[in-house]
DNA sequence: TGCCTTGTTCGAGTTGTGTCGAACAATATG
DNA sequence: CATATTGTTCGACACAACTCGAACAAGGCA
């Protein structure tokens, strides 16, 4: 499978990032990745079907919040913390620290 | 006209706040209020009709982002910076500093 | 009282977004 | 090769959200 396209930090859009974070399922994914560093999709699926998860990962990827690295049959996801913090200083930290 | 109900900071929901901020029109309103401190609705209307603006103000008010003070026929809006920062430290600042 | 200003409310229309099953693609593994 | 595992893609559906005109309410003012 071909590698994913990840947007350049200079093109990150605030409204797009905020909208990506404004969903409970995606917020959960982001919080989980912040804890474990890297995870494949399967370990992040709770009760939701794969197709729903795939959708959420795409939204997060397209907004610039996470990157997906392909290793064999697995897709390893991790937060793009540095890039995000360069473009929107303090934003991700504030979201992760929020109750 | 009766005063508005403003939610208690303890009940602010992160996803609700993020969704409220994730709209270009509302982000513009928030940025404007950050500059001028307080403003009535009329001065914030660009080309959009009043009914659209009223909707956006309600979303911002219900999420806890701004408060509306009634003075005669005018509704004066201002950001709830302290309350927001108590509940979600650094969030509003990060959003306001973002490009 | 009559009129203007300021905003809200209502209803309809349109678009956007999340959800999910089914089919598909790619990679391991026996 | 056959099969299981991991994710994506597609299509359809439901629901939430934005937009906007029209009608309404409340204040200020002549």
């Amino acid at each position: 499978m071909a590698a994913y396209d990840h947007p350049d930090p200079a093109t990150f859009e605030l409204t797009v990032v905020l909208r990506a974070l404004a969903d409970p399922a995606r917020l959960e994914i982001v919080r989980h990745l912040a804890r474990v560093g890297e995870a494949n999709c399967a370990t992040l699926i709770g009760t939701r079907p794969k197709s729903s998860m795939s959708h959420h990962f795409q939204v997060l990827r397209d907004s610039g919040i996470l990157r997906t690295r392909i290793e064999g049959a697995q897709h390893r996801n991790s937060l793009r913390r540095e890039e995000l913090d360069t473009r929107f200083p303090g934003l991700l930290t504030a979201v992760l620290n929020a109750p």
Side-chain angles (χ1 to χ4, degrees), chain A:
Chain A
M1 183 161 221
Y4 289 101
D5 273 346
H6 295 97
D8 187 273
T11 68
F12 292 176
E13 287 280 348
L14 180 59
T15 54
V16 174
V17 169
L18 291 174
R19 192 159 37 239
L21 293 170
D23 178 272
R26 291 194 290 264
L27 197 52
E28 204 176 309
I29 292 174
V30 169
R31 285 195 204 277
H32 183 82
L33 288 179
R35 283 198 307 274
V36 305
E38 193 178 53
N40 64 356
C41 304
T43 68
L44 285 157
I45 295 183
T47 66
R48 300 168 214 270
K50 298 183 300 176
S51 50
S52 293
M53 281 302 171
S54 192
H55 163 68
H56 289 308
F57 278 109
Q58 186 180 346
V59 172
L60 290 169
R61 204 160 38 229
D62 291 349
S63 69
I65 294 174
L66 62 76
R67 100 194 87 230
T68 307
R69 181 170 66 83
I70 299 182
E71 193 168 305
Q74 301 196 0
H75 295 195
R76 304 281 174 75
N77 304 283
S78 54
L79 296 180
R80 298 180 66 182
R81 299 191 80 143
E82 291 81 7
E83 289 106 319
L84 221 47
D85 209 59
T86 299
R87 175 83 167 155
F88 306 122
L91 180 60
L92 187 56
T93 300
V95 169
L96 291 174
N97 286 339

